[in-house]
Amino acid sequence: MKLGLSTYSLYRAIDKKELTVTEAIRWIADNGGEHVEIVPIGYDLTDNPGLIEDIRKTADQAGLDISGYAVGANFVQATPEAYELEIEKTMRQVDIARDLGVKRMRHDVASRPIPETSIRQFEADLPRLVEACRRIADYAAQFDIVTSVENHGFYLQASDRVLRLVHEVDRANFKTTLDIGNFLCVDEDPVSAVSNNIPFASMVHLKDFYRRPSYRNPGEGWFKSTHGNFLRGAIVGQGDIDMPEVIRVLKASGYDGYLSVEFEGMEDPRTGSRIAMDNVRRLWQEAAV
């Protein structure tokens, strides 16, 4: 197991120009991280080979693996032309993953407004999603890159929908980036969902949330799950997810890949990220299997 951080965890500091992405990479190494996951929010790698090279050199000098590259995509498009354009755009992101030297790339797959996220709509959209993911995975295979879908964005967030897509795509290099916290966004128990999906994970994101029921509005700073419950980002290990049990399940499964902390709390991102990595390291050591 290698513990590290997604640059997404520090995006508020990057966006405010308090850190550059290369400074963020050095910060991760200085605070005990063993890898960095590149998520281009607050900076842009498209048509920016100089920054790609700077990231590679900085990670190498800091002794960090670049564990993965994560980008957006949405293959639910109104026209065939827009659909093809989205696939082509995502293939260009595969090229960036190659240039970064990574072997794992997460791309989003589909997004719809919550009223349009029924299982009937999902099944209707599924053939187009499968085709897009197959084409991108096949393109990535020539670079020995594993592509993946994250349980993310409400529409494709439940563990059974992720599994349905992975099985239908049926490519050895198409898996899931398993975000243990995101299952709460569709009101699914994270422990059970992790157990369902860990055999198919190429990467694990560790995230935590505070959760309050729909009839207890806690005010500013919270968002709603698909069933109206309230969620707010927390430091990993301090929220309402049974993090010791989630980590025990991960460890017992034999997963020995990258654990990438994602911090979405209201605290300073450096403080929240540092404490989160410390908590995960301790919980992993304490987990009995």
Side-chain angles (χ1 to χ4, degrees):
M1 181 275 289
K2 284 193 172 183
L3 175 63
L5 194 72
S6 164
T7 62
Y8 168 69
S9 300
L10 300 171
Y11 85 90
R12 280 186 288 152
I14 294 171
D15 194 53
K16 292 178 181 177
K17 312 301 183 187
E18 296 171 358
L19 288 174
T20 65
V21 64
T22 52
E23 289 170 341
I25 291 168
R26 287 190 285 270
W27 184 94
I28 293 167
D30 290 343
N31 285 273
E34 298 172 280
H35 72 87
V36 57
E37 184 183 9
I38 300 299
V39 183
I41 298 176
Y43 57 99
D44 186 12
L45 300 184
T46 305
D47 300 321
N48 198 347
L51 183 54
I52 293 171
E53 185 61 23
D54 287 346
I55 287 171
R56 290 190 63 158
K57 287 181 178 178
T58 302
D60 183 61
Q61 292 166 358
L64 297 185
D65 295 348
I66 303 178
S67 55
Y69 180 54
V71 297
N74 183 12
F75 305 118
V76 175
Q77 295 291 333
T79 67
E81 293 78 13
Y83 174 76
E84 288 295 329
L85 179 61
E86 193 73 359
I87 292 173
E88 288 298 320
K89 285 170 56 180
T90 308
M91 288 180 176
R92 299 290 73 78
Q93 295 296 319
V94 173
D95 294 339
I96 293 175
R98 174 204 61 204
D99 293 344
L100 284 167
V102 304
K103 296 302 180 183
R104 293 166 185 80
M105 176 181 140
R106 182 221 81 181
H107 61 80
D108 288 330
V109 173
S111 178
R112 283 189 179 277
I114 288 177
E116 300 175 15
T117 59
S118 70
I119 188 64
R120 176 177 291 182
Q121 184 63 63
F122 172 72
E123 290 292 342
D125 287 335
L126 187 60
R128 287 183 295 164
L129 308 184
V130 169
E131 179 191 351
C133 292
R134 281 179 178 168
R135 288 169 59 183
I136 294 160
D138 290 345
Y139 181 76
Q142 66 183 310
F143 308 122
D144 195 28
I145 291 173
V146 174
T147 57
S148 63
V149 57
E150 185 173 346
N151 51 309
H152 183 239
F154 295 108
Y155 190 32
L156 227 165
Q157 202 149 0
S159 64
D160 56 351
R161 294 193 188 190
V162 170
L163 288 179
R164 180 96 165 87
L165 179 66
V166 170
H167 291 322
E168 288 297 316
V169 172
D170 193 25
R171 293 293 190 269
N173 71 320
F174 183 74
K175 298 187 178 183
T176 181
T177 289
L178 194 166
D179 187 305
I180 68 101
N182 279 349
F183 294 112
L184 276 186
C185 300
V186 288
D187 301 287
E188 185 173 11
D189 172 57
V191 175
S192 299
V194 168
S195 298
N196 287 345
N197 284 19
I198 189 59
F200 306 95
S202 62
M203 168 81 81
V204 172
H205 285 174
L206 290 171
K207 179 189 297 175
D208 209 345
F209 285 116
Y210 299 109
R211 182 182 183 275
R212 298 293 180 268
S214 59
Y215 53 85
R216 287 178 54 193
N217 186 341
E220 185 178 351
W222 299 67
F223 69 95
K224 288 186 177 182
S225 72
T226 53
H227 291 87
N229 295 302
F230 292 94
L231 299 171
R232 177 162 74 82
I235 295 171
V236 176
Q238 296 187 0
D240 292 322
I241 293 175
D242 188 352
M243 200 61 64
E245 180 61 8
V246 166
I247 289 178
R248 188 199 67 79
V249 168
L250 290 172
K251 191 173 181 180
S253 75
Y255 179 80
D256 195 32
Y258 293 110
L259 298 180
S260 188
V261 167
E262 285 195 338
F263 171 69
E264 294 184 351
M266 296 178 73
E267 297 88 350
D268 177 85
R270 285 154 289 200
T271 300
S273 296
R274 176 184 56 78
I275 295 171
M277 286 194 290
D278 289 346
N279 282 346
V280 171
R281 191 176 295 106
R282 172 178 52 81
L283 290 170
W284 187 272
Q285 293 170 348
E286 292 173 355
V289 298

